[in-house]
Amino acid sequence: MSKRIQDFKIVNKASAGGNCLLTLLPLGTPDLHDITPGQFVQVQALAPEVLLRRPISVCDVTPDGHLILMVKPIGNATRHIDSLAVGDTLNLVLPLGNGFDTSDMQGRRALLVGGGVGVAPLVFLARALTAAGASVDICIGGRSAADIAGIDSLFVPDAHLHFATDDGSAGHHGLVTSLNAFSADYHRIYCCGPTPMMKAVAASARNRGTDCFVSLENMMACGLGACLCCIEKTVRGNICVCTEGPVFNINQLLWN
Amino acid sequence: MELNLSVDLGNGLRLKNPVLTASGTFGYGIEYADFIDLSRLGGFIVKGTTLNPREGNDAPRMVETPSGMINAVGLQNKGVDHFVKHIYPLIADCGSEVIVNVSGASIADYQAVAERLADLPAIHAIEVNISCPNVKAGGMAFGTSCQGAAEVTAAVRRSWARHLMVKLSPNVTDIAGIAAAVEDAGADSVSLINTLLAMHIDVERQRPSISTITGGLSGPAVRPIAVRMVWQVARRVKIPVVGLGGIVNADDALQFIMAGATAIQVGTANFINPAASVQIVDGISDYLRRHNISDINQLRSIIP
């Protein structure tokens, strides 16, 4: 299906890892089957002085047809979205971006690494990978217990979760890259989180010779490949994160 | 009531309605084909095209500001040959006027691009960009003096016989004087305003928010300035004026038309609402019906 502008109704609000978790019911055309893990939506925030939509990763598309978004309230727009109530409407442009490559993962092991609001797209990815017959390990990092509170319940039960915190208040004391599960053998590694985390994971994947994909969140305006604001320098020159990403094979990036 | 929305910009450029989309905000049109029927637009202006491919500026290129945004893309594009070979065939038959925005670092560059585009029969107009604030050479350097603006216009005029629109910079003392200079040099129309030179500082990081330090401000924040400049220019020149700057709905578009614009361009609004341009066409029709006006041209310059 094609990209579209669509209204959604907020049917539930929760929180996870200090972020706002919205459950949205599509109005109009209810079909969300065309959304793939790693894609994002552009959310309109009708807040004073806010002009642009905010790109938000698809956290999950549930089997009963709801769209889950995880929003970190940090600025005027995201705080406004956080202030909305059950029953309110959100206008989205979707589905945008390329999504994660989940091909030929049947019977293979995948490692998903996330931090902060970057865990959001891993939820839907874990659902898709386990449905495709992959074995999924997920390493999640945070500064402290509050950053990972409630995160485990978002994931499909088949996924194996491993937590690490900087202060040791929950899970392993240290970085995600120091978790035992992080160093096991995997067919493919997927990562979304703060840039230093993604760069560390990419470096480790390169050393191991493991296929690795990261999801970037450069500053965006349109989300449609028109404004050329969100470019990333790659082996193919400056390309738009919104249309040719947000997911990139690390071999495409100039991160060395 | 039968409505006439069509407008004539002169020298063969007649639009079915006054709504264009602004260069750099609409890609090559294809990016918006999922959201709107491109043939419903008066036309669209494809992004700034240069003789040679350009990688543009480093990231970050954009920062949001109150009711606006500052960008410093720096004319990233794959060059005119790429446009001719790979883009033109996709959009030549879209049912709407395709106008190419032309930029260059030298007068010879502008001419060379115009000459290549002259081979394309569906391109009835070019918009010459002498107002880009985000490139070191050319761009706004030409557009901030009457002499520079006139030189580029006269040179491109010799290389391009079809409609020649010149896009003006607001970063000048007297925009009407620049408009008069490009009119004398042979322009068929002027479009205004390009972005306003602006700056934003990230105080936590204690550094500029975009890589080039300064960039171009667009969006509703600039609209009142743009309306004022369109009004000033329309009083000064005889050629048609195309107005742009922060237009997000039909009322905004009508302000520009009442101030003297023959057509308008929708820019930053395309980023927020991908269907904005066509909704503005519909909104203008609704306005005309509500006010019992049969022809959009009756509203032009009603503010004397």
Side-chain angles (χ1 to χ4, degrees):
Chain A
M1 227 168 110
S2 54
K3 295 171 190 170
R4 57 195 181 271
I5 308 168
Q6 191 173 1
D7 282 331
F8 286 71
K9 188 179 190 177
I10 299 172
V11 294
N12 192 42
K13 270 187 82 178
S15 94
N19 302 307
C20 169
L21 203 65
L22 297 172
T23 303
L24 305 175
L25 181 69
L27 303 175
T29 320
D31 192 2
L32 300 177
H33 287 104
D34 56 338
I35 303 176
T36 58
Q39 289 192 299
F40 66 99
V41 301
Q42 282 269 57
V43 184
Q44 187 175 50
L46 297 171
E49 298 190 352
V50 170
L51 178 72
L52 301 168
R53 288 173 183 263
R54 293 297 186 269
I56 305 288
S57 288
V58 170
C59 178
D60 205 359
V61 176
T62 62
D64 62 350
H66 290 94
L67 177 69
I68 314 282
L69 300 180
M70 189 188 284
V71 179
K72 185 179 181 181
I74 45 171
N76 284 346
T78 45
R79 277 197 296 266
H80 172 80
I81 294 166
D82 185 32
S83 75
L84 295 173
V86 170
D88 286 346
T89 300
L90 264 188
N91 182 265
L92 310 185
V93 175
L94 79 164
L96 303 173
N98 60 351
F100 291 107
D101 179 0
T102 55
S103 62
D104 52 76
M105 284 302 293
Q106 188 180 5
R108 290 177 157 150
R109 293 187 75 185
L111 171 64
L112 280 54
V113 187
V117 75
V119 302
L122 305 183
V123 173
F124 192 21
L125 177 61
R127 180 189 295 285
L129 286 170
T130 52
S135 162
V136 177
D137 279 274
I138 304 170
C139 292
I140 289 171
R143 285 159 302 179
S144 65
D147 286 352
I148 57 175
I151 295 288
D152 53 343
S153 63
L154 303 177
F155 284 91
V156 284
D158 295 345
H160 310 290
L161 285 158
H162 315 273
F163 291 101
T165 53
D166 296 346
D167 65 0
S169 57
H172 171 74
H173 188 175
L175 299 173
V176 273
T177 47
S178 63
L179 281 161
N180 287 333
F182 181 81
S183 303
D185 281 334
Y186 297 98
H187 182 67
R188 198 176 282 156
I189 300 173
Y190 304 90
C191 183
C192 185
T195 303
M197 174 192 274
M198 291 198 287
K199 287 190 171 173
V201 170
S204 167
R206 256 195 302 275
N207 287 338
R208 292 191 247 177
T210 306
D211 217 13
C212 180
F213 292 86
V214 294
S215 178
L216 307 185
E217 55 163 10
N218 299 14
M219 285 289 288
M220 272 176 206
C222 70
L224 304 171
C227 69
L228 308 186
C229 287
C230 66
I231 52 102
E232 177 73 17
K233 280 188 177 171
T234 72
V235 294
R236 294 186 289 130
N238 287 339
I239 62 177
C240 284
V241 168
C242 66
T243 49
E244 308 211 36
V247 178
F248 290 90
N249 187 310
I250 57 168
N251 296 331
Q252 296 288 304
L253 302 174
L254 306 180
W255 274 8
N256 288 321
Chain B
M1 183 172 57
E2 187 84 359
L3 295 181
N4 176 49
L5 257 60
S6 72
V7 295
D8 191 352
L9 289 167
N11 194 10
L13 185 62
R14 195 170 174 83
L15 308 178
K16 71 179 75 164
N17 64 60
V19 179
L20 300 164
T21 56
S23 174
T25 68
F26 204 64
Y28 293 112
I30 307 155
E31 293 86 344
Y32 285 81
D34 278 352
F35 302 100
I36 60 169
D37 175 358
L38 294 174
S39 74
R40 292 209 54 220
L41 296 172
F44 57 92
I45 305 180
V46 304
K47 72 169 282 80
T49 301
T50 52
L51 183 57
N52 298 310
R54 286 179 57 95
E55 278 290 296
N57 294 322
D58 285 344
R61 292 177 170 184
M62 189 275 293
V63 60
E64 188 180 42
T65 56
S67 302
M69 61 178 275
I70 302 174
N71 89 81
V73 172
L75 295 173
Q76 179 178 330
N77 79 103
K78 291 180 175 169
V80 67
D81 288 339
H82 177 84
F83 176 80
V84 170
K85 282 193 205 96
H86 301 292
I87 307 295
Y88 176 75
L90 302 176
I91 56 180
D93 299 323
C94 68
S96 172
E97 286 291 343
V98 179
I99 298 171
V100 180
N101 181 283
V102 173
S103 210
S106 70
I107 286 179
D109 279 4
Y110 283 96
Q111 287 182 300
V113 175
E115 282 160 15
R116 308 237 175 142
L117 295 172
D119 295 333
L120 310 178
I123 305 296
H124 300 143
I126 59 174
E127 178 182 60
V128 172
N129 179 3
I130 55 167
S131 44
C132 179
N134 296 325
V135 292
K136 288 195 182 77
M140 200 171 83
F142 289 115
T144 50
S145 77
C146 290
Q147 190 190 343
E151 277 177 23
V152 178
T153 305
V156 176
R157 182 74 288 171
R158 290 194 292 275
S159 305
W160 177 259
R162 287 169 241 164
H163 187 97
L164 173 58
M165 185 184 297
V166 179
K167 187 168 185 176
L168 305 182
S169 171
N171 304 303
V172 296
T173 310
D174 175 20
I175 195 168
I178 308 270
V182 304
E183 178 181 42
D184 289 345
D188 295 309
S189 65
V190 286
S191 54
L192 61 140
I193 59 175
N194 204 322
T195 54
L196 282 149
L197 200 57
M199 183 167 163
H200 183 270
I201 296 168
D202 182 334
V203 294
E204 284 302 320
R205 294 177 179 171
Q206 303 183 357
R207 62 188 191 207
S209 297
I210 56 176
S211 67
T212 49
I213 304 178
T214 63
L217 177 65
S218 65
V222 311
R223 191 193 309 133
I225 299 170
V227 171
R228 181 265 293 179
M229 287 185 163
V230 162
W231 178 74
Q232 288 178 318
V233 168
R235 286 156 59 95
R236 179 77 171 267
V237 300
K238 293 189 180 63
I239 54 176
V241 175
V242 178
L244 71 151
I247 295 173
V248 301
N249 58 37
D251 279 1
D252 301 339
L254 288 161
Q255 283 197 60
F256 282 82
I257 291 169
M258 291 178 188
T262 301
I264 60 95
Q265 298 178 12
V266 181
T268 302
N270 296 310
F271 300 156
I272 308 151
N273 174 9
S277 52
V278 165
Q279 287 169 5
I280 289 170
V281 175
D282 292 338
I284 291 173
S285 296
D286 290 346
Y287 179 92
L288 294 178
R289 279 195 201 91
R290 261 192 306 123
H291 289 263
N292 205 25
I293 298 165
S294 64
D295 187 342
I296 184 67
N297 293 286
Q298 291 169 17
L299 284 176
R300 183 165 61 248
S301 294
I302 62 166
I303 309 299

